[in-house]
Each structure stands twice: as C-alpha cells, then as structure tokens.
C-alpha cells in the first residue's frame, strides 16, 4: 500500500508560478513511476506529467509542455510539479499518482494507476 499526500495548491494570478509536492509513504517509492493528473470543474480527469522511477525520463501533456516541470526526490519520497506561466485554464484539482507500469504509459487512457492522492486545488485568477 502507498499513501500519497499532495500539498502546495492555492490561489495564484495568471502568469504566476506554483510548486506542488506529493509525499509518499508505504511501499518502496522507487518501485513506481509517478505522475500528476488534474480535473477541472465539469471535466474529466486528464494526464499532466509523468516521471520515471529514477527521475531520468519525463513526459508531459501538450497543454503544459514548456511551462510545467516534474521532478522527484527519491531520498525524500517526494515528487514535485513546478508550474509556471499559469493560465486560467490550469485551474483544477491536481492529483498525484503512482504507477507500477511503464512511465510512458501513464498518459494512456487505458492505464490504471495503482494509487492516487486526494488532490490539491489550484486556482488561477485572470
């Protein structure tokens, strides 16, 4: 079992930055690729970014590429999402996820995540 707890959400103006954290506890953190997803009001949850077990490989959705950066600190069992140049359409609840499959598969609709956090709300005001 893996417990994931997100933090760092809040209210930010458009063009600003925010850093989300996800602290993991339980089973070996490095057994999992880690990722971030988000769900805007009235919309389905969507993939944002993923990072491999060792932190070498990453991939992003087209909507955040160049603005968001995912990273992880395996010594602290934590994954981060640095968000810059935020837009109103980035407003959503952001969820951390752990996945035992291939990192590149985390964005595929058919991939079921092994564990989810409860989410943290990011609101971008225009």
């Amino acid at each position: 079992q893996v417990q994931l707890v997100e933090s760092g959400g809040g209210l930010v103006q458009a063009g600003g930055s925010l850093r989300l954290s996800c602290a993991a506890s339980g089973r070996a953190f490095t057994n999992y690729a880690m990722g971030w997803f988000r769900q805007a009001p009235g919309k389905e949850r969507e993939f944002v970014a993923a990072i491999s077990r060792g932190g070498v490989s990453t991939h992003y959705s087209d909507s955040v590429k160049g603005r968001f950066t995912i990273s992880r600190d395996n010594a602290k069992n934590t994954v981060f999402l640095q968000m810059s140049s935020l837009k109103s359409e980035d407003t959503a609840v952001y969820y951390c996820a752990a996945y035992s499959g291939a990192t590149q598969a985390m964005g595929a609709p058919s991939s079921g995540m092994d564990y989810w956090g409860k989410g943290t709300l990011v609101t971008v005001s225009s």
Side-chain angles (χ1 to χ4, degrees):
Q1 192 79 355
V2 174
Q3 293 78 41
L4 302 173
V5 179
E6 302 94 338
S7 62
L11 176 63
V12 62
Q13 287 189 334
S17 299
L18 209 57
R19 189 194 198 203
L20 305 183
S21 300
C22 171
S25 60
R27 302 188 70 175
F29 183 60
T30 53
N31 283 352
Y32 301 93
M34 298 297 297
W36 290 92
F37 292 73
R38 67 186 181 186
Q39 186 167 17
K43 295 187 177 181
E44 293 188 352
R45 185 151 50 187
E46 65 173 359
F47 167 76
V48 174
I51 188 166
S52 61
R53 290 156 180 78
V56 174
S57 176
T58 59
H59 76 104
Y60 301 88
S61 68
D62 288 343
S63 61
V64 307
K65 198 172 295 181
R67 300 188 298 120
F68 290 11
T69 302
I70 188 171
S71 61
R72 65 190 291 167
D73 184 340
N74 286 342
K76 295 182 178 180
N77 287 2
T78 304
V79 62
F80 304 97
L81 185 68
Q82 178 68 48
M83 306 184 293
S84 303
S85 302
L86 283 161
K87 307 174 182 179
S88 57
E89 51 262 44
D90 294 318
T91 294
V93 177
Y94 283 72
Y95 298 90
C96 177
Y99 184 52
S100 57
T103 306
Q104 296 298 321
M106 283 196 81
S110 61
S111 297
M113 299 300 101
D114 293 84
Y115 301 101
W116 291 96
K118 293 185 178 181
T120 185
L121 176 62
V122 173
T123 303
V124 183
S125 63
S126 56

